[in-house]
Amino acid sequence: MDDRIDTATIHKVASELMFAGQKVSVQVIADQLNVDASEELGDVLKHWWMEQESKVAFRTSIAPNNKPDVPDTVYQSVQLIWDNALKDARLELELSAKDDKVVSEAGVALEDELYLSKSQLQSLEDSNQRLRTQISEHTHNVKNLEAERAMLRSNLQATETNLSSMEYKVAEYKGEMERAQASSEEAKKQLDNRMREETARHQETISKVESKVSYYRHQLDKLRDEWGKKETAFNAQVQDLQGEVARTSVTSDTQFSQIRSQDEELRKYRGEITNQSRNMSKSTTAALASSNRLKRLEDELQQREFDIKELKKRTIVDKSDTARRETDLRTLLKSRDSENFEVTAKLNELQRTLIAREEEIRRLTAKL
């Protein structure tokens, strides 16, 4: 192959041919590049086919959450058809890639048949697996249906028992209703009898009330006549009382004038009484002041007497203390005098001993 032609150019030309829908082969690429159809070109093209095969995902499956909203059987059948189509396309690609090589026709036919048999076997296994899954699903559904049937039977038995109990209750309720109807009819009869008795009793009371009303009307007429007579008598009495009131008004006027004069005298007496009360208040205040002074003086006198008593007590206590102290001092003086006498006696003895010692020292010194 020419050195000016590289692998990238061959791959580019092969990709352009594939996207254009033309057959990709060694001879076509050699014609496009104006080179010879050599084995090196076939190896490069084989490598390109392997890259293209790796780019195609033949075994990819759709995720469960991305499956279309179709029945499972339809989806599985379409998936099987798609897998078979991919296998056929792959087979054709492999066969087209192998056309450029020198192989025998018998070997190619055998390989094709082998691949087809493998694909058929795979499809049969897939269909068998699908049938197994369907059978397991059907058995599971049958079990669910049997469980539902058992539950429905139990529910039916429960409903039958409830129905029998309800029928028994309905019969009881009907009997109670009949008894209630009979009792209501008896109550209606008793009520009618009572109503009749009450109406008769009310009619009797109404007749009695009417007789009483007629009696009260007669009495009212009598009272009206008596009231007319009494009213005339009251009018005469009122006139007499009015005359007396006029006379009493005259006397009240005279009494009112007398009361005014007495009020003036009372005012004078009240003024005098107020003056006297003022003088009395002044005298009482003075008496109170003097009494307060006397009380204060008495309190001071009592306090002074109390102080004198306290001083006397203190003097007595002081005298007793001084006497006790004098006795103590005397005893101390006596003890000190005795001690002094003893000390002086000891001093005299010491002086005597000293004098004797001095004389001895003198004699000794004189002898020496």
Side-chain angles (χ1 to χ4, degrees), residues 132-271:
R132 285 177 182 175
T133 55
Q134 289 178 359
I135 288 165
S136 64
E137 288 177 357
H138 287 306
T139 54
H140 183 67
N141 291 325
V142 168
K143 289 179 181 179
N144 291 327
L145 290 171
E146 288 178 353
E148 289 179 357
R149 186 177 66 182
M151 185 174 66
L152 290 171
R153 283 180 181 176
S154 63
N155 291 327
L156 182 61
Q157 291 176 358
T159 52
E160 286 177 354
T161 55
N162 291 324
L163 184 61
S164 62
S165 63
M166 290 294 289
E167 287 177 353
Y168 180 72
K169 288 180 180 179
V170 167
E172 289 181 353
Y173 290 150
K174 284 181 179 179
E176 290 179 357
M177 189 182 292
E178 290 175 356
R179 288 193 294 273
Q181 287 178 356
S183 62
S184 64
E185 288 177 357
E186 291 178 357
K188 284 180 181 179
K189 290 178 181 179
Q190 291 177 0
L191 183 62
D192 292 333
N193 293 324
R194 287 182 182 178
M195 289 292 290
R196 289 172 185 173
E197 291 175 356
E198 290 291 332
T199 51
R201 194 180 298 112
H202 284 302
Q203 286 178 358
E204 290 177 358
T205 53
I206 287 164
S207 62
K208 289 179 181 179
V209 168
E210 286 178 353
S211 63
K212 287 181 180 180
V213 167
S214 62
Y215 174 73
Y216 288 137
R217 283 178 182 174
H218 182 67
Q219 293 293 328
L220 182 62
D221 293 333
K222 287 182 179 180
L223 289 171
R224 283 177 181 174
D225 295 333
E226 290 178 357
W227 175 252
K229 293 177 182 179
K230 288 180 180 180
E231 188 176 2
T232 55
F234 282 133
N235 289 324
Q237 289 178 1
V238 166
Q239 289 176 0
D240 295 333
L241 290 171
Q242 286 177 355
E244 289 179 359
V245 166
R247 289 192 294 272
T248 53
S249 64
V250 173
T251 55
S252 65
D253 290 332
T254 56
Q255 289 176 359
F256 185 70
S257 61
Q258 291 176 0
I259 288 165
R260 282 182 180 176
S261 62
Q262 289 176 0
D263 286 332
E264 290 177 356
E265 290 178 357
L266 284 170
R267 286 175 185 174
K268 290 179 182 179
Y269 287 126
R270 283 177 182 174

